[in-house]
Amino acid sequence: MNKWNRHRELEVVLTTFDGEQHLRLHGWLKRNDVIVKSENIIKQDDYFGVFTIYVTENQLNKLKENNTDSSLFLDLEVMSTESERWNLFQDFNKDKDKIADMMQNFMFSFQIRDKKDIEKFLKEANETSLALFKKNDDFIDDYVKTDEMSVKDKVKDLDLMIEAFVEEERYEDCALLVKIKDKIKKHYKKQKIKKL
């Protein structure tokens, strides 16, 4: 595909209200192959987290449409100019020390240049997911119960994380992920029984 036929991508900032909504949005973005530039967990009184993504206009319309049905995000802002990005940065900059401390362990960016960048991104994504699971049992419950990802996708996600942590000999982390995987299987087994 030559450069003149490429779709124009927009940079969009999405805010989420709580952990459950954040996970729903994360699942939707993953299923719809949306490029995530960054993901931040902030946990303020009026919002929970922020995604910065790159989407085509068609993906953006689909996201807005799905938000009506599934409550995927609290707010959406299209960053069409550098000045808008700067204004958003200045808003965050007001409480920069407080926000920087909260975001330090939960922020990662995704820029692919080679295989090492992909490996780095996957490692950071795994670490972020694990940190969320360890931080609050509500994240685990939300992950187990959300319908935004299929059981197969959840189990595959966890299996890949377990495999990565086994390579690093992080067996306690693997044990937590195995417990979450078991909870997922039990939850969906109960759901099947209820439907009968």
Side-chain angles (χ1 to χ4, degrees):
M1 181 183 286
N2 72 40
K3 67 180 180 180
W4 306 113
N5 291 332
R6 292 177 56 196
H7 293 281
R8 181 173 173 259
E9 290 183 338
L10 306 166
E11 184 175 359
V12 177
V13 175
L14 302 163
T15 56
T16 56
F17 177 71
D18 59 16
E20 184 177 342
Q21 186 178 58
H22 197 85
L23 284 172
R24 273 197 310 272
L25 179 57
H26 185 269
W28 191 94
L29 296 171
K30 188 173 185 177
R31 275 193 321 281
N32 288 279
D33 297 320
V34 173
I35 298 171
V36 177
K37 179 181 178 186
S38 67
E39 176 182 5
N40 307 302
I41 307 298
I42 298 170
K43 290 186 84 171
Q44 295 290 318
D45 291 336
D46 52 347
Y47 67 99
F48 178 84
V50 177
F51 283 93
T52 304
I53 61 173
Y54 292 113
V55 291
T56 62
E57 199 167 324
N58 290 339
Q59 286 175 314
L60 182 59
N61 290 335
K62 185 177 177 184
L63 176 62
K64 288 177 181 177
E65 187 178 304
N66 280 263
N67 187 49
T68 306
D69 299 330
S70 302
S71 182
L72 297 172
F73 57 87
L74 177 66
D75 193 24
L76 174 146
E77 187 169 353
V78 176
M79 309 306 285
S80 59
T81 66
E82 192 63 37
S83 64
E84 287 176 344
R85 287 187 195 94
W86 178 247
N87 290 339
L88 183 66
F89 174 73
Q90 286 181 318
D91 289 344
F92 281 125
N93 206 23
K94 290 176 188 169
D95 295 322
K96 71 178 180 182
D97 294 332
K98 183 178 173 186
I99 291 173
D101 289 342
M102 288 186 284
M103 290 173 35
Q104 185 174 5
N105 295 324
F106 292 102
M107 183 176 166
F108 58 87
S109 295
F110 185 47
Q111 296 177 351
I112 298 177
R113 285 182 287 279
D114 57 26
K115 186 178 177 184
K116 286 182 181 179
D117 287 338
I118 294 171
E119 290 171 1
K120 180 183 177 203
F121 171 77
L122 291 174
K123 183 178 173 92
E124 289 173 350
N126 288 343
E127 292 294 342
T128 300
S129 296
L130 183 65
L132 290 171
F133 290 144
K134 286 181 171 181
K135 187 173 176 104
N136 192 329
D137 287 339
D138 291 340
F139 286 111
I140 296 172
D141 291 338
D142 291 342
Y143 187 80
V144 167
K145 294 176 183 174
T146 185
D147 293 329
E148 296 300 316
M149 289 177 71
S150 69
V151 180
K152 184 179 176 182
D153 287 340
K154 290 177 191 179
V155 169
K156 183 178 177 183
D157 235 11
L158 290 170
D159 283 340
L160 291 171
M161 288 175 65
I162 291 167
E163 184 179 320
F165 291 134
V166 164
E167 287 178 16
E168 297 176 17
E169 298 181 5
R170 294 172 54 183
Y171 301 114
E172 289 179 17
D173 294 335
C174 292
L176 173 64
L177 296 172
V178 168
K179 285 180 186 177
I180 295 169
K181 191 169 136 180
D182 290 342
K183 282 186 177 187
I184 290 169
K185 290 177 180 178
K186 286 178 186 175
H187 174 74
Y188 284 96
K189 195 173 188 178
K190 286 179 185 176
Q191 297 299 322
K192 276 187 174 180
I193 292 170
K194 285 181 182 179
K195 288 181 181 178
L196 297 175

